[in-house]
Amino acid sequence: METQSLSLDIISSLPQNIIETILTLMPLRDALRTNILSKRWRYCWMTMPKLVFDHNLVRAKSGSQLKYKLVNAIFHVLLIHRGPRTLKFKLDVNKLGFKTEFHQIILSLSSKINVKDLIIDNTSDTFYKLPTSFFLIQRLESLELMNCEFELPVTFTGFNKLRNMHFKNVRVSAQVLQHFLSNCPLLEEIILGGYEEEYVEENYFKFVQLFQHVPLVHTLDISKYYMKYLAAGGMPNKLPTSLHLKDVGLDVCLSEQDVISSILCIIRSSPNLEQLFFLMYDNEKLPIQESSLMFVDLQDDLSLTLDRLTYFEIVGFSNMPLEMEFLKLILETPAQQPLQTEHPSHESTGETSPTTPTSPSATIPMAQDESSPESTPGRVKKLTEAAGFCVVVPARHAPLCYSLVEFNKLT
């Protein structure tokens, strides 16, 4: 008993911000129950900076009872809490059958002045349509939506403080997306993932327009559905003004000329690029004349635009000649500073050797990524710790290691 009491006293004596951090790492149900530990703990949960609501918040024997108890619990917590910075809802809104109640919950957030980061993860197989009241939450700095859809109300004036936007499986038309982005001028990170639906040709919203609306963006991650209309019609050789892009992740079909021209234009126009991630798809389906001539114009400019590149990854690599030419071009770009490139001879010791990408002895490690990049929001940001490596994950082959000498032989 004395040992337990001493441990409790040690935890209770921690600074308030440390206690709040500990509580955010616990399921919300358990964090709320800490109010019975002592007077010191009674109100700690009320200042937690992050609240995550899911179906485990309450216990119920039936679906109707779960709906009733869950809605009441959410309203109760939001009413008493002094204002979290981050709110996350991970719920199957459609299965629980409380769309109307959830609309009311969202409406209540418009008066929460402290809410800066909002995550709505609808775990249902069907889309949840955001209510008009959602667009009244004007103080948002970060927004993540999963399995949702929306249309903009005529009164929408934008999220003028929004900096990070993550959409996964969000059903939204090209025009609505363009209008949305044009009213979020401070956006620095845009992630558009998932969602498959045929687009209408006249509904194009192109990369050129996107960069005009969000000139401060430095992280861009685009899945193949959005690539279809953003790259439609291609792009010019280079944009008139340089982009601020540092981290770029794109789903790429090299069989499509518009996609190729868009990629090359983005690279030419981004002198600060540090990380590149490409997820290849359908490269073997559409026959085109594979020629390195597509990359000749780019080669003259790459030494100016890729001198800060520290990481380059391709997933779904099929060893097609066009892919090999593109990869070779990236790897042979002169680097401003030597990169840390791991050699097989150092695997057992964990040592690394600084070499430039053009060094004939440089071995490019290629490793299989166990996670699915297509389903991972923010995949580019996860590459930071591996700076200096080029990782190639073959589409249907075992992971391989090539030196640039071997690349030259293959191409």
Side-chain angles (χ1 to χ4, degrees), residues 159-261:
F159 294 114
N160 56 15
K161 295 185 178 181
L162 193 66
R163 297 184 180 274
N164 304 310
M165 185 191 86
H166 299 195
F167 285 2
K168 181 182 178 183
N169 291 329
V170 175
R171 185 160 64 185
V172 56
S173 69
Q175 297 96 328
V176 171
L177 181 61
Q178 180 178 4
H179 188 194
F180 180 88
L181 292 175
S182 66
N183 286 277
C184 302
L186 298 184
L187 272 173
E188 297 175 350
E189 179 175 291
I190 299 176
I191 297 176
L192 300 173
Y195 183 51
E196 291 291 336
E197 186 171 290
E198 292 297 324
Y199 64 92
V200 181
E201 292 188 2
E202 59 267 23
N203 291 346
Y204 290 154
F205 166 41
K206 301 180 182 180
F207 272 119
V208 173
Q209 297 165 308
L210 183 149
F211 293 128
Q212 289 174 346
H213 295 319
V214 287
L216 301 180
V217 63
H218 59 67
T219 297
L220 187 69
D221 195 337
I222 308 293
S223 70
K224 63 181 181 181
Y225 165 73
Y226 297 97
M227 284 291 293
K228 286 180 181 179
Y229 63 73
L230 286 171
M235 293 180 70
N237 183 65
K238 188 176 182 181
L239 296 176
T241 58
S242 296
L243 303 175
H244 296 279
L245 287 173
K246 293 183 179 180
D247 303 329
V248 173
L250 302 173
D251 286 6
V252 177
C253 177
L254 290 178
S255 300
E256 298 181 7
Q257 296 285 355
D258 289 348
V259 171
I260 294 176
S261 70

Side-chain angles (χ1 to χ4, degrees), residues 6-249:
L6 179 60
S7 299
L8 182 60
D9 289 340
I10 293 175
I11 296 177
S12 298
S13 63
L14 291 173
Q16 179 67 16
N17 64 321
I18 301 298
I19 293 178
E20 292 171 359
T21 302
I22 293 174
L23 291 177
T24 60
L25 299 175
M26 302 168 59
L28 183 55
R29 176 183 172 86
D30 295 335
L32 296 176
R33 296 170 72 181
T34 59
N35 70 339
I36 65 173
L37 294 178
S38 67
K39 291 182 180 180
R40 171 75 171 83
W41 283 83
R42 176 171 295 180
Y43 304 108
C44 286
W45 70 270
M46 295 185 185
T47 54
M48 289 169 56
K50 181 178 181 180
L51 297 177
V52 180
F53 296 101
D54 58 28
H55 66 278
N56 294 317
L57 179 60
V58 298
R59 299 287 187 267
K61 296 181 179 179
S62 65
S64 59
Q65 189 181 44
L66 175 63
K67 169 186 171 180
Y68 174 78
K69 295 179 69 174
L70 184 58
V71 170
N72 282 343
I74 293 175
F75 272 118
H76 181 74
V77 171
L78 291 178
L79 179 63
I80 298 178
H81 198 281
R82 296 172 185 172
R85 176 183 174 86
T86 302
L87 270 179
K88 178 176 181 178
F89 297 93
K90 188 174 183 180
L91 304 165
D92 189 331
V93 178
N94 298 319
K95 184 177 180 180
L96 290 171
F98 71 153
K99 287 185 180 179
T100 302
E101 292 81 359
F102 197 60
H103 287 356
Q104 295 173 349
I105 291 171
I106 291 179
L107 177 60
S108 70
L109 299 182
S110 61
S111 62
K112 299 288 185 180
I113 62 174
N114 293 325
V115 176
K116 307 296 184 184
D117 309 327
L118 179 61
I119 305 167
I120 300 179
D121 184 359
N122 174 34
T123 59
S124 173
D125 293 333
T126 56
F127 294 104
Y128 166 66
K129 187 172 183 178
L130 297 173
T132 303
S133 58
F134 167 79
F135 300 97
L136 299 176
I137 312 174
Q138 292 292 310
R139 299 173 181 84
L140 289 180
E141 296 178 6
S142 178
L143 174 64
E144 295 186 32
L145 299 177
M146 278 76 82
N147 299 319
C148 296
E149 63 179 334
F150 66 86
E151 295 178 0
L152 295 176
V154 293
T155 56
F156 178 66
T157 58
F159 294 114
N160 56 15
K161 295 185 178 181
L162 193 66
R163 297 184 180 274
N164 304 310
M165 185 191 86
H166 299 195
F167 285 2
K168 181 182 178 183
N169 291 329
V170 175
R171 185 160 64 185
V172 56
S173 69
Q175 297 96 328
V176 171
L177 181 61
Q178 180 178 4
H179 188 194
F180 180 88
L181 292 175
S182 66
N183 286 277
C184 302
L186 298 184
L187 272 173
E188 297 175 350
E189 179 175 291
I190 299 176
I191 297 176
L192 300 173
Y195 183 51
E196 291 291 336
E197 186 171 290
E198 292 297 324
Y199 64 92
V200 181
E201 292 188 2
E202 59 267 23
N203 291 346
Y204 290 154
F205 166 41
K206 301 180 182 180
F207 272 119
V208 173
Q209 297 165 308
L210 183 149
F211 293 128
Q212 289 174 346
H213 295 319
V214 287
L216 301 180
V217 63
H218 59 67
T219 297
L220 187 69
D221 195 337
I222 308 293
S223 70
K224 63 181 181 181
Y225 165 73
Y226 297 97
M227 284 291 293
K228 286 180 181 179
Y229 63 73
L230 286 171
M235 293 180 70
N237 183 65
K238 188 176 182 181
L239 296 176
T241 58
S242 296
L243 303 175
H244 296 279
L245 287 173
K246 293 183 179 180
D247 303 329
V248 173

